[in-house]
Amino acid sequence: MQYFATEAETIFYQQPRTFTKLDSPDILSYALGATLYMPASMPNIIEMVQSQKYQDLKSFVIDLEDAVGDAELTSCEEKIIEDISALYTLYVHNEILLEDLPLLFIRVRSIEQFRLLTSVLGKQQEVLTGYVFPKFTARQGAAYFEILEQTIEQHQLTLYGMPILESRDILYKESRMEALFAIRDVLRQYRKRVLNVRIGATDFCGIYGIRRRVDSTIYDIAVIRDCIADIVNILGREEDDFVISGPVWEYFSNERVLKPTLRATPFSEKGALYARKALLDDYLDGLMKEVILDRQNGILGKTIIHPSHIRIVHALYVVSYEEYVDATSIIDNEGQKGVLKSHYANKMNEMKPHMRWAQKVLRQAHIYGVYNESADFASLLLNASVGGSTDDEAQQQDEHYSRL
């Protein structure tokens, strides 16, 4: 993200930090943020990257799977090879630097396609951060990661894999535990290559013919909530500490039936209820509620399919000053005290039970920053130079999404 100095001082106690694909995976796994998916058929992908059109964009995925029809698959494969080759040429000639690139991934459709792309692209994959593996199972997953390892070794690359959990054996209760434990074994084997574990809730919902409304969240759908809980239970344990990313937010429509969930108070306190109305007009309050619930359930990172969602997600990932003070206090007093009253005298901070929470908060703060004591997500969203879009940009975003 980019900010003017005075605005940054007003909003942030600790500013967000920059990173590149060459940073440690511990940092990158937290840095994915709002990951924008776009179909491989999308024109001008390279121009978008080179111009840094969306300055807040931290990561994006070029999709060869669900976003591409069978009839256009071959042409999209050819296009993605051309696009990555063009991007690599710009990189080799120093017309674009690695630190200027968002974390770039390709979602492949099959093991065969993955093998083809890695073979054809070769060293040109240096501009990629990795690949996304759909319909991930233990058996297919092992094959994906084996090819990834071979590619890394052959071309001396830094690449990661991100599995998407979206298959029936994970959703169906009678097979879920066996499937998740088998997947965990595979991910443990290739731990240093696993950047993030993603949840394909759209596919899960499709199996039951369910779709969440714009006014609700994925956690309101009981069968999906139950599955997400088990995924976090198995893969989010301390001994593995996989970062688990939240399901895609798929709405940008203009139909509302239920009462909005976006609180008015943070905006009214700043004399900016008009900004809240703008968010409601874009029907982003459901996204905000879901991101908050993601975080509450130990999930960090969000798949998005419209650029207007980027600033919303990242504003909610900035750590509050109170969280930061609590986390710092817990870390600083490790081994010295068992329990302390919080700085705000409104909660109890226990050193041992809250230690892992504190560590995760400080990792998040390292990437997304910390709000000043008097600032919050509304402060960031109200600042046009930080997160706003011009009318032309808004039109371009809608044109982008209309192609999906």
Side-chain angles (χ1 to χ4, degrees):
M1 299 184 187
Q2 296 185 0
Y3 312 94
F4 295 124
T6 53
E7 295 160 348
E9 291 173 2
T10 301
I11 296 172
F12 291 105
Y13 173 79
Q14 175 181 302
Q15 293 188 39
R17 302 186 186 182
T18 59
F19 57 88
T20 75
K21 64 162 286 186
L22 299 179
D23 278 295
S24 72
D26 287 343
I27 292 176
L28 296 184
S29 61
Y30 275 71
L32 291 164
T35 302
L36 178 65
Y37 274 56
M38 57 184 65
S41 58
M42 184 79 180
N44 305 320
I45 290 178
I46 301 307
E47 289 82 356
M48 183 200 75
V49 173
Q50 189 175 18
S51 67
Q52 299 183 32
K53 178 179 178 181
Y54 305 116
Q55 293 182 348
D56 291 350
L57 182 63
K58 294 176 179 288
S59 61
F60 77 93
V61 176
I62 304 175
D63 192 357
L64 279 167
E65 201 217 6
D66 288 341
V68 171
D70 294 341
E72 58 180 348
L73 181 59
T74 300
S75 63
C76 284
E77 288 175 341
E78 294 171 351
K79 181 180 180 299
I80 204 169
I81 291 170
E82 292 174 0
D83 284 344
I84 300 306
S85 298
L87 193 59
Y88 181 74
T89 299
L90 291 171
Y91 163 66
V92 168
H93 290 91
N94 293 319
E95 294 180 45
I96 192 167
L97 305 175
L98 280 183
E99 51 263 38
D100 294 330
L101 291 174
L103 305 179
L104 172 59
F105 301 84
I106 297 174
R107 178 160 79 160
V108 294
R109 179 176 291 211
S110 65
I111 293 171
E112 292 73 26
Q113 185 186 71
F114 181 42
R115 186 179 288 111
L116 169 67
L117 290 177
T118 54
S119 175
V120 173
L121 289 173
K123 184 65 175 176
Q124 296 176 119
Q125 295 169 99
E126 192 169 357
V127 296
L128 297 175
T129 304
Y131 289 87
V132 179
F133 304 138
K135 312 292 190 295
F136 194 89
T137 64
R139 182 178 178 182
Q140 291 179 328
Y144 275 125
F145 276 106
E146 184 177 349
I147 296 171
L148 184 66
E149 285 281 15
Q150 293 170 354
T151 302
I152 291 169
E153 182 177 352
Q154 180 180 357
H155 301 290
Q156 297 299 297
L157 299 169
T158 300
L159 292 172
Y160 301 96
M162 296 199 297
I164 306 181
L165 307 187
E166 53 188 348
S167 58
R168 293 173 185 267
D169 60 344
I170 297 171
L171 182 58
Y172 292 166
K173 187 176 286 289
E174 67 271 18
S175 56
R176 182 182 303 157
M177 289 298 107
E178 181 180 355
L180 286 176
F181 282 123
I183 287 171
R184 186 188 66 178
D185 290 343
V186 171
L187 298 183
R188 281 178 171 177
Q189 182 181 352
Y190 296 98
R191 182 64 182 90
K192 64 181 180 180
R193 305 301 181 198
V194 182
L195 198 58
N196 186 281
V197 178
R198 313 190 76 82
I199 299 174
T202 300
D203 279 45
F204 281 158
C205 287
I207 292 170
Y208 284 94
I210 296 171
R211 186 174 191 178
R212 71 184 180 282
R213 290 190 54 84
V214 66
D215 308 275
S216 63
T217 75
I218 201 67
Y219 299 97
D220 293 314
I221 302 176
V223 67
I224 310 301
R225 180 181 66 240
D226 181 56
C227 184
I228 292 174
D230 285 337
I231 290 172
V232 174
N233 189 310
I234 303 303
L235 299 181
R237 297 179 183 183
E238 184 176 11
E239 57 266 30
D240 297 308
D241 200 27
F242 292 109
V243 175
I244 301 169
S245 179
V248 63
W249 180 257
E250 58 189 22
Y251 279 103
F252 67 107
S253 63
N254 291 314
E255 178 183 358
R256 176 180 303 284
V257 175
L258 301 181
K259 181 180 178 180
T261 59
L262 180 58
R263 293 174 56 241
T265 304
F267 296 91
S268 62
E269 288 176 347
K270 298 173 176 60
L273 284 173
Y274 67 89
R276 177 179 180 269
K277 184 179 185 300
L279 288 172
L280 294 179
D281 287 345
D282 288 335
Y283 297 91
L284 298 174
D285 57 314
L287 168 62
M288 298 178 75
K289 181 180 179 181
E290 187 164 294
V291 170
I292 291 169
L293 289 173
D294 283 343
R295 287 190 60 190
Q296 189 66 55
N297 285 279
I299 289 173
L300 183 70
K302 195 70 172 170
T303 299
I304 60 168
I305 49 178
H306 196 283
S308 63
H309 297 163
I310 299 170
R311 66 189 179 100
I312 304 295
V313 174
H314 291 167
L316 291 169
Y317 283 170
V318 179
V319 173
S320 72
Y321 182 78
E322 183 173 344
E323 284 180 310
Y324 180 76
V325 169
D326 283 337
T328 302
S329 174
I330 291 166
I331 297 293
D332 290 346
N333 285 281
E334 181 182 10
Q336 300 177 39
K337 296 182 180 294
V339 63
L340 280 174
K341 182 170 64 174
S342 73
H343 173 77
Y344 285 87
N346 60 359
K347 69 178 76 65
M348 176 181 66
N349 289 330
E350 291 192 66
M351 302 307 113
K352 290 182 179 179
H354 292 143
M355 180 57 63
R356 189 170 172 227
W357 170 85
Q359 292 168 342
K360 293 170 75 172
V361 166
L362 293 185
R363 287 182 195 171
Q364 189 171 333
H366 176 82
I367 296 295
Y368 301 99
V370 180
Y371 284 123
N372 270 323
E373 189 170 13
S374 60
D376 56 20
F377 73 93
S379 307
L380 197 54
L381 295 179
L382 288 172
N383 195 308
S385 64
V386 173
S389 298
T390 66
D391 290 340
D392 288 342
E393 287 173 335
Q395 182 178 355
Q396 290 169 354
Q397 290 168 1
D398 290 339
E399 288 173 356
H400 158 90
Y401 198 77
S402 68
R403 298 187 182 99
L404 293 177

Short mmCIF file of all heavy atoms in Angstrom, two decimals, residues 285-322:
data_model
loop_
_atom_site.label_atom_id
_atom_site.label_comp_id
_atom_site.label_asym_id
_atom_site.label_seq_id
_atom_site.Cartn_x
_atom_site.Cartn_y
_atom_site.Cartn_z
N ASP A 285 -20.64 -4.85 3.01
CA ASP A 285 -20.71 -5.09 4.45
C ASP A 285 -20.73 -6.58 4.77
O ASP A 285 -20.22 -7.01 5.80
CB ASP A 285 -21.91 -4.38 5.08
CG ASP A 285 -23.24 -4.78 4.45
OD1 ASP A 285 -23.29 -4.81 3.20
OD2 ASP A 285 -24.20 -5.06 5.18
N GLY A 286 -21.30 -7.40 3.88
CA GLY A 286 -21.26 -8.85 4.08
C GLY A 286 -19.84 -9.37 4.04
O GLY A 286 -19.45 -10.23 4.84
N LEU A 287 -19.04 -8.85 3.12
CA LEU A 287 -17.63 -9.22 3.04
C LEU A 287 -16.92 -8.85 4.33
O LEU A 287 -16.14 -9.64 4.87
CB LEU A 287 -16.97 -8.50 1.86
CG LEU A 287 -15.44 -8.53 1.79
CD1 LEU A 287 -14.93 -9.95 1.65
CD2 LEU A 287 -14.94 -7.66 0.64
N MET A 288 -17.19 -7.66 4.84
CA MET A 288 -16.52 -7.22 6.06
C MET A 288 -16.88 -8.13 7.24
O MET A 288 -16.00 -8.52 8.02
CB MET A 288 -16.90 -5.77 6.36
CG MET A 288 -16.46 -4.80 5.28
SD MET A 288 -16.94 -3.09 5.59
CE MET A 288 -15.78 -2.65 6.86
N LYS A 289 -18.13 -8.47 7.34
CA LYS A 289 -18.54 -9.35 8.43
C LYS A 289 -17.86 -10.71 8.31
O LYS A 289 -17.40 -11.29 9.30
CB LYS A 289 -20.07 -9.53 8.42
CG LYS A 289 -20.58 -10.42 9.55
CD LYS A 289 -22.10 -10.55 9.49
CE LYS A 289 -22.60 -11.45 10.62
NZ LYS A 289 -24.07 -11.63 10.58
N GLU A 290 -17.75 -11.22 7.08
CA GLU A 290 -17.15 -12.54 6.89
C GLU A 290 -15.65 -12.51 7.19
O GLU A 290 -15.12 -13.47 7.78
CB GLU A 290 -17.40 -13.05 5.48
CG GLU A 290 -16.94 -14.49 5.28
CD GLU A 290 -17.52 -15.13 4.02
OE1 GLU A 290 -18.76 -15.31 3.99
OE2 GLU A 290 -16.75 -15.43 3.11
N VAL A 291 -14.96 -11.44 6.82
CA VAL A 291 -13.54 -11.34 7.11
C VAL A 291 -13.31 -11.30 8.62
O VAL A 291 -12.38 -11.93 9.14
CB VAL A 291 -12.92 -10.09 6.44
CG1 VAL A 291 -11.50 -9.84 6.93
CG2 VAL A 291 -12.92 -10.26 4.93
N ILE A 292 -14.16 -10.58 9.33
CA ILE A 292 -14.04 -10.53 10.80
C ILE A 292 -14.25 -11.92 11.38
O ILE A 292 -13.51 -12.35 12.29
CB ILE A 292 -15.07 -9.53 11.37
CG1 ILE A 292 -14.67 -8.10 10.99
CG2 ILE A 292 -15.16 -9.66 12.89
CD1 ILE A 292 -15.73 -7.06 11.28
N LEU A 293 -15.22 -12.67 10.88
CA LEU A 293 -15.45 -14.03 11.35
C LEU A 293 -14.32 -14.97 10.95
O LEU A 293 -13.97 -15.89 11.70
CB LEU A 293 -16.79 -14.54 10.83
CG LEU A 293 -18.03 -13.90 11.45
CD1 LEU A 293 -19.30 -14.35 10.73
CD2 LEU A 293 -18.13 -14.25 12.93
N ASP A 294 -13.74 -14.75 9.78
CA ASP A 294 -12.56 -15.51 9.39
C ASP A 294 -11.47 -15.37 10.45
O ASP A 294 -10.92 -16.37 10.95
CB ASP A 294 -11.99 -15.01 8.05
CG ASP A 294 -12.79 -15.47 6.84
OD1 ASP A 294 -13.58 -16.42 6.95
OD2 ASP A 294 -12.62 -14.85 5.77
N ARG A 295 -11.15 -14.13 10.76
CA ARG A 295 -10.08 -13.88 11.74
C ARG A 295 -10.41 -14.49 13.09
O ARG A 295 -9.54 -15.06 13.76
CB ARG A 295 -9.86 -12.37 11.89
CG ARG A 295 -9.17 -11.71 10.71
CD ARG A 295 -8.76 -10.28 11.05
NE ARG A 295 -7.85 -10.24 12.18
CZ ARG A 295 -7.49 -9.13 12.81
NH1 ARG A 295 -7.96 -7.95 12.41
NH2 ARG A 295 -6.65 -9.17 13.83
N GLN A 296 -11.68 -14.38 13.50
CA GLN A 296 -12.07 -14.91 14.80
C GLN A 296 -11.92 -16.43 14.85
O GLN A 296 -11.69 -17.01 15.91
CB GLN A 296 -13.53 -14.53 15.10
CG GLN A 296 -13.99 -14.85 16.51
CD GLN A 296 -13.26 -14.00 17.54
OE1 GLN A 296 -13.25 -12.78 17.47
NE2 GLN A 296 -12.64 -14.65 18.51
N ASN A 297 -12.00 -17.07 13.68
CA ASN A 297 -11.89 -18.53 13.61
C ASN A 297 -10.50 -19.01 13.19
O ASN A 297 -10.33 -20.17 12.80
CB ASN A 297 -12.95 -19.07 12.64
CG ASN A 297 -14.33 -19.06 13.25
OD1 ASN A 297 -14.70 -19.95 14.02
ND2 ASN A 297 -15.12 -18.03 12.95
N GLY A 298 -9.52 -18.14 13.27
CA GLY A 298 -8.15 -18.55 13.00
C GLY A 298 -7.78 -18.61 11.54
O GLY A 298 -6.83 -19.31 11.16
N ILE A 299 -8.51 -17.88 10.69
CA ILE A 299 -8.28 -17.90 9.24
C ILE A 299 -7.77 -16.53 8.80
O ILE A 299 -8.31 -15.50 9.19
CB ILE A 299 -9.59 -18.26 8.51
CG1 ILE A 299 -9.90 -19.75 8.73
CG2 ILE A 299 -9.52 -17.94 7.04
CD1 ILE A 299 -11.24 -20.19 8.18
N LEU A 300 -6.72 -16.54 7.98
CA LEU A 300 -6.14 -15.29 7.50
C LEU A 300 -5.88 -15.40 6.00
O LEU A 300 -5.26 -16.34 5.54
CB LEU A 300 -4.82 -14.99 8.22
CG LEU A 300 -4.15 -13.67 7.84
CD1 LEU A 300 -4.96 -12.49 8.38
CD2 LEU A 300 -2.73 -13.61 8.36
N GLY A 301 -6.34 -14.40 5.25
CA GLY A 301 -6.26 -14.43 3.79
C GLY A 301 -7.65 -14.64 3.22
O GLY A 301 -8.48 -15.34 3.81
N LYS A 302 -7.91 -14.01 2.08
CA LYS A 302 -9.25 -14.07 1.50
C LYS A 302 -9.16 -14.09 -0.02
O LYS A 302 -8.51 -13.24 -0.63
CB LYS A 302 -10.07 -12.84 1.93
CG LYS A 302 -11.56 -12.95 1.70
CD LYS A 302 -12.16 -13.96 2.67
CE LYS A 302 -13.68 -13.98 2.61
NZ LYS A 302 -14.19 -15.13 3.37
N THR A 303 -9.80 -15.08 -0.62
CA THR A 303 -9.91 -15.11 -2.08
C THR A 303 -10.98 -14.11 -2.50
O THR A 303 -12.09 -14.11 -1.96
CB THR A 303 -10.29 -16.51 -2.57
OG1 THR A 303 -9.27 -17.43 -2.19
CG2 THR A 303 -10.44 -16.52 -4.08
N ILE A 304 -10.63 -13.24 -3.45
CA ILE A 304 -11.58 -12.25 -3.95
C ILE A 304 -11.62 -12.31 -5.47
O ILE A 304 -10.69 -12.82 -6.11
CB ILE A 304 -11.23 -10.83 -3.48
CG1 ILE A 304 -9.84 -10.42 -3.99
CG2 ILE A 304 -11.31 -10.72 -1.97
CD1 ILE A 304 -9.52 -8.96 -3.84
N ILE A 305 -12.69 -11.79 -6.04
CA ILE A 305 -12.83 -11.82 -7.50
C ILE A 305 -13.20 -10.45 -8.06
O ILE A 305 -13.66 -10.34 -9.19
CB ILE A 305 -13.85 -12.88 -7.94
CG1 ILE A 305 -15.13 -12.76 -7.13
CG2 ILE A 305 -13.27 -14.28 -7.84
CD1 ILE A 305 -16.22 -13.73 -7.54
N HIS A 306 -12.99 -9.40 -7.24
CA HIS A 306 -13.21 -8.04 -7.73
C HIS A 306 -12.22 -7.12 -7.04
O HIS A 306 -12.06 -7.19 -5.81
CB HIS A 306 -14.65 -7.58 -7.46
CG HIS A 306 -15.05 -6.37 -8.26
ND1 HIS A 306 -14.61 -5.12 -7.93
CD2 HIS A 306 -15.81 -6.24 -9.38
CE1 HIS A 306 -15.11 -4.24 -8.81
NE2 HIS A 306 -15.82 -4.91 -9.69
N PRO A 307 -11.53 -6.25 -7.79
CA PRO A 307 -10.50 -5.39 -7.19
C PRO A 307 -11.02 -4.46 -6.09
O PRO A 307 -10.25 -4.05 -5.23
CB PRO A 307 -9.97 -4.58 -8.38
CG PRO A 307 -10.30 -5.41 -9.58
CD PRO A 307 -11.59 -6.10 -9.26
N SER A 308 -12.30 -4.13 -6.12
CA SER A 308 -12.83 -3.22 -5.09
C SER A 308 -12.82 -3.85 -3.71
O SER A 308 -12.98 -3.16 -2.71
CB SER A 308 -14.27 -2.81 -5.46
OG SER A 308 -15.13 -3.94 -5.49
N HIS A 309 -12.62 -5.15 -3.63
CA HIS A 309 -12.60 -5.84 -2.33
C HIS A 309 -11.24 -5.74 -1.64
O HIS A 309 -11.14 -6.02 -0.45
CB HIS A 309 -12.95 -7.31 -2.51
CG HIS A 309 -14.33 -7.54 -3.03
ND1 HIS A 309 -14.74 -8.74 -3.58
CD2 HIS A 309 -15.42 -6.73 -3.10
CE1 HIS A 309 -15.99 -8.67 -3.96
NE2 HIS A 309 -16.43 -7.45 -3.69
N ILE A 310 -10.20 -5.38 -2.38
CA ILE A 310 -8.84 -5.43 -1.83
C ILE A 310 -8.72 -4.54 -0.61
O ILE A 310 -8.26 -4.97 0.46
CB ILE A 310 -7.81 -5.00 -2.90
CG1 ILE A 310 -7.84 -5.95 -4.10
CG2 ILE A 310 -6.40 -4.97 -2.30
CD1 ILE A 310 -7.03 -5.47 -5.31
N ARG A 311 -9.11 -3.28 -0.75
CA ARG A 311 -8.91 -2.33 0.34
C ARG A 311 -9.74 -2.68 1.56
O ARG A 311 -9.33 -2.41 2.70
CB ARG A 311 -9.22 -0.91 -0.14
CG ARG A 311 -10.67 -0.67 -0.50
CD ARG A 311 -10.87 0.68 -1.18
NE ARG A 311 -12.27 0.90 -1.55
CZ ARG A 311 -13.11 1.64 -0.85
NH1 ARG A 311 -12.70 2.24 0.25
NH2 ARG A 311 -14.36 1.78 -1.24
N ILE A 312 -10.91 -3.31 1.35
CA ILE A 312 -11.76 -3.70 2.48
C ILE A 312 -11.06 -4.76 3.32
O ILE A 312 -10.96 -4.65 4.55
CB ILE A 312 -13.11 -4.25 1.97
CG1 ILE A 312 -13.81 -3.24 1.07
CG2 ILE A 312 -13.98 -4.67 3.14
CD1 ILE A 312 -14.22 -1.98 1.77
N VAL A 313 -10.57 -5.79 2.65
CA VAL A 313 -9.91 -6.89 3.37
C VAL A 313 -8.68 -6.39 4.11
O VAL A 313 -8.47 -6.68 5.30
CB VAL A 313 -9.54 -8.02 2.39
CG1 VAL A 313 -8.73 -9.10 3.10
CG2 VAL A 313 -10.80 -8.63 1.78
N HIS A 314 -7.85 -5.61 3.42
CA HIS A 314 -6.60 -5.16 4.05
C HIS A 314 -6.85 -4.20 5.20
O HIS A 314 -6.11 -4.18 6.19
CB HIS A 314 -5.69 -4.54 3.00
CG HIS A 314 -5.15 -5.54 2.02
ND1 HIS A 314 -4.53 -5.19 0.84
CD2 HIS A 314 -5.16 -6.89 2.04
CE1 HIS A 314 -4.16 -6.29 0.19
NE2 HIS A 314 -4.55 -7.33 0.90
N ALA A 315 -7.90 -3.38 5.10
CA ALA A 315 -8.22 -2.48 6.21
C ALA A 315 -8.58 -3.26 7.46
O ALA A 315 -8.29 -2.83 8.59
CB ALA A 315 -9.37 -1.56 5.82
N LEU A 316 -9.19 -4.43 7.28
CA LEU A 316 -9.59 -5.25 8.42
C LEU A 316 -8.44 -6.12 8.93
O LEU A 316 -8.54 -6.71 10.01
CB LEU A 316 -10.77 -6.13 8.03
CG LEU A 316 -12.08 -5.39 7.79
CD1 LEU A 316 -13.12 -6.28 7.16
CD2 LEU A 316 -12.62 -4.82 9.11
N TYR A 317 -7.35 -6.22 8.16
CA TYR A 317 -6.20 -6.99 8.59
C TYR A 317 -5.19 -6.15 9.38
O TYR A 317 -4.31 -6.70 10.05
CB TYR A 317 -5.48 -7.62 7.40
CG TYR A 317 -6.18 -8.85 6.85
CD1 TYR A 317 -5.78 -9.43 5.66
CD2 TYR A 317 -7.24 -9.44 7.53
CE1 TYR A 317 -6.41 -10.55 5.15
CE2 TYR A 317 -7.88 -10.55 7.03
CZ TYR A 317 -7.47 -11.11 5.84
OH TYR A 317 -8.10 -12.22 5.35
N VAL A 318 -5.29 -4.83 9.29
CA VAL A 318 -4.43 -3.99 10.12
C VAL A 318 -4.77 -4.26 11.58
O VAL A 318 -5.94 -4.31 11.97
CB VAL A 318 -4.63 -2.50 9.79
CG1 VAL A 318 -3.73 -1.63 10.67
CG2 VAL A 318 -4.31 -2.24 8.31
N VAL A 319 -3.76 -4.44 12.40
CA VAL A 319 -3.95 -4.80 13.80
C VAL A 319 -4.34 -3.56 14.60
O VAL A 319 -3.75 -2.48 14.41
CB VAL A 319 -2.66 -5.43 14.36
CG1 VAL A 319 -2.75 -5.65 15.87
CG2 VAL A 319 -2.37 -6.75 13.65
N SER A 320 -5.30 -3.69 15.48
CA SER A 320 -5.68 -2.56 16.32
C SER A 320 -4.58 -2.29 17.35
O SER A 320 -3.80 -3.18 17.72
CB SER A 320 -7.00 -2.84 17.05
OG SER A 320 -6.81 -3.81 18.07
N TYR A 321 -4.54 -1.06 17.83
CA TYR A 321 -3.52 -0.69 18.82
C TYR A 321 -3.68 -1.52 20.09
O TYR A 321 -2.69 -1.97 20.68
CB TYR A 321 -3.64 0.80 19.14
CG TYR A 321 -2.59 1.30 20.11
CD1 TYR A 321 -1.29 1.55 19.69
CD2 TYR A 321 -2.91 1.50 21.44
CE1 TYR A 321 -0.32 2.00 20.58
CE2 TYR A 321 -1.95 1.95 22.35
CZ TYR A 321 -0.66 2.19 21.91
OH TYR A 321 0.29 2.63 22.81
N GLU A 322 -4.91 -1.76 20.48
CA GLU A 322 -5.15 -2.54 21.70
C GLU A 322 -4.64 -3.97 21.54
O GLU A 322 -4.00 -4.52 22.45
CB GLU A 322 -6.65 -2.55 22.04
CG GLU A 322 -6.97 -3.29 23.32
CD GLU A 322 -8.41 -3.16 23.75
OE1 GLU A 322 -9.10 -2.26 23.23
OE2 GLU A 322 -8.85 -3.96 24.60
#
